Amino acid sequence: MGKAIKKLAVLTSGGDSPGMNAAIRSVVRTCAYHDIECVGVYRGYEGLIEGDFKAMDARSVKGIINKGGTILKSARSKEFRTEEGRKKAFKQLTDANIDGLVVVGGDGSFTGALIFNQEFDFPVMGIPGTIDNDIYGTSHTLGFDTALNTVVDAIDKIRDTASSHNRLFFIEVMGRDVGHIALNTGIAGGAEEILIPEEDLGLDRLVESLNKSRKSGKTSSIVIVAEGDKIGKNIFELKDYVDDNMEGYDVRVSVLGHMQRGGAPSCFDRVLASRMGVKAVESLLEGETNYMVGLLNNSVELTPLDKAIKGKSKINLELLRVSDIMST
Ligand code: ATP
């Protein structure tokens, strides 16, 4: 057991995601509840190195639970990747009498937190904040549910225009390494095909499947493409290939891009962020360190940071089968 914790810091790092503000609010209010001081660190590890801190009390986080982005700002810090940079960060924390750090971010941010702990024996706790849901040790990362709703809303709108013009739309969604967003929104949006990094459908089978659905009477089609899909062509090359090898459709592309990261967090993400913040602070107070809080079987549990970093977040194979059956 380390020394008693009297003051904690919280920062947001890496790509922002809806729900980060709700997590900051939860960390700050849990500290207030336990009579612990709390400090917000601006711009992730960059602000940690520079000592860009702000004392936060329970009232300072009013009106943010419903806001996307992060009031503490996020950043990627090259300097924190160096020992010199991390030494500066440690000095800033000790000069401010801070006893522990909550990091809201993705696996890169957790890697930084773990290295920092190993070098300075400084207590750290991670909260998974990324829309991609690509972190081991939690069924949901903060922002994933909101991003799903944003994407489904966009698919519904695109479907309106697709069916009015007999169009085939390729819609690109985020997901370089994992297809969680594509798979879930593809099912919810009634996509004919879903291309994900975990599965190589191949161009011939894609065209075959689209032809089949057109012959079965469909007048419009939507294909959801994860950024990192395995076919190995970018979405515009995919469109050209299908244009050249299929008749009967006007083929279009829509890249949803950064809109997927923004917007008011869903009810699910607000509740999840509130639960994760409580667990992160209370675990630090109990003397735990080097863990990530995550949702497992609807319970907020701790997973060692090294496991969360190294582990693979796997797609649900049952969903793949459901999507196949639904596109019949
Ligand atoms: P996202 O999933 O949105 O990309 P992330 O947390 O994985 O979020 P990264 O850019 O990979 O985002 O990492 C955020 C920051 O964490 C980096 O800018 C860097 O400051 C720190 N970091 C990442 N890897 C390391 C490392 N190996 N050593 C020290 N710090 C690191």
Side-chain angles (χ1 to χ4, degrees):
M1 190 104 159
K3 70 169 184 164
I5 286 184
K6 298 199 183 77
K7 192 172 184 179
L8 288 181
V10 56
L11 61 79
T12 49
S13 170
D16 65 306
S17 69
M20 280 186 162
N21 279 328
I24 294 166
R25 174 181 181 269
S26 173
V27 168
V28 170
R29 293 216 167 146
T30 309
C31 285
Y33 178 85
H34 288 285
D35 249 339
I36 300 294
E37 279 183 80
C38 191
V39 165
V41 180
Y42 286 102
R43 296 175 294 114
Y45 292 127
E46 207 58 18
L48 199 60
I49 290 168
E50 292 169 19
D52 196 358
F53 301 163
K54 182 195 169 199
M56 299 183 91
D57 64 12
R59 295 285 74 72
S60 69
V61 286
K62 69 172 191 248
I64 66 166
I65 193 169
N66 55 336
K67 301 270 191 290
T70 157
I71 58 162
L72 290 177
K73 314 275 182 198
S74 192
R76 299 192 199 268
S77 169
K78 274 200 185 133
E79 204 180 348
F80 196 75
R81 290 176 183 271
T82 68
E83 206 181 326
E84 237 3 80
R86 292 192 295 273
K87 266 189 195 155
K88 286 188 201 166
F90 180 64
K91 185 167 184 323
Q92 295 286 6
L93 285 166
T94 43
D95 285 355
N97 295 316
I98 295 166
D99 309 308
L101 176 66
V102 178
V103 173
V104 188
D107 55 356
S109 304
F110 295 162
T111 306
L114 191 56
I115 291 173
F116 188 68
N117 170 274
Q118 285 159 353
E119 284 173 347
F120 304 104
D121 197 22
F122 195 85
V124 295
M125 199 58 64
I127 294 180
T130 166
I131 65 164
D132 291 335
N133 207 33
D134 56 353
I135 297 184
Y136 178 85
T138 188
S139 60
H140 291 74
T141 54
L142 285 185
F144 174 54
D145 182 69
T146 305
L148 294 183
N149 289 313
T150 303
V151 171
V152 168
D153 188 44
I155 295 173
D156 287 348
K157 286 174 175 147
I158 290 169
R159 172 77 73 187
D160 289 345
T161 170
S163 52
S164 303
H165 292 274
N166 281 11
R167 277 181 179 151
L168 163 59
F169 262 92
F170 283 96
I171 303 176
E172 186 183 275
V173 301
M174 285 189 173
R176 271 200 196 95
D177 305 312
V178 286
H180 292 298
I181 294 180
L183 188 53
N184 283 276
T185 61
I187 291 173
E192 276 61 48
E193 278 299 343
I194 304 168
L195 308 183
I196 53 175
E198 291 86 346
E199 209 194 31
D200 188 358
L201 182 66
L203 284 169
D204 294 342
R205 272 183 55 208
L206 173 66
V207 171
E208 194 184 306
S209 154
L210 292 172
N211 270 325
K212 201 175 129 205
S213 68
R214 194 166 51 90
K215 281 183 193 137
S216 77
K218 290 192 181 175
T219 54
S220 70
S221 279
I222 284 181
V223 179
I224 303 296
V225 186
E227 283 169 313
D229 88 278
K230 272 283 177 302
I231 286 188
K233 290 191 178 293
N234 75 37
I235 196 159
F236 295 98
E237 292 166 343
L238 267 181
K239 172 201 179 291
D240 290 345
Y241 184 89
V242 171
D243 248 346
D244 293 345
N245 291 277
M246 234 187 114
E247 282 175 9
Y249 274 136
D250 180 13
V251 190
R252 298 292 163 107
V253 165
S254 181
V255 177
L256 299 187
H258 283 79
M259 68 177 285
Q260 295 164 86
R261 284 223 188 133
S266 64
C267 175
F268 182 91
D269 276 327
R270 295 179 203 192
V271 174
L272 183 62
S274 304
R275 294 173 75 186
M276 285 180 166
V278 170
K279 182 76 174 180
V281 171
E282 292 189 339
S283 299
L284 281 167
L285 294 183
E286 283 160 14
E288 304 290 3
T289 181
N290 298 2
Y291 285 102
M292 179 196 82
V293 301
L295 190 67
L296 295 170
N297 297 319
N298 200 26
S299 171
V300 182
E301 305 287 348
L302 299 181
T303 294
L305 273 181
D306 60 340
K307 271 198 178 175
I309 294 161
K310 285 191 206 122
K312 277 242 168 286
S313 155
K314 297 209 172 100
I315 51 158
N316 183 338
L317 294 177
E318 184 224 333
L319 287 186
L320 264 184
R321 185 162 177 268
V322 168
S323 101
D324 278 350
I325 294 173
M326 288 306 114
S327 59
T328 302

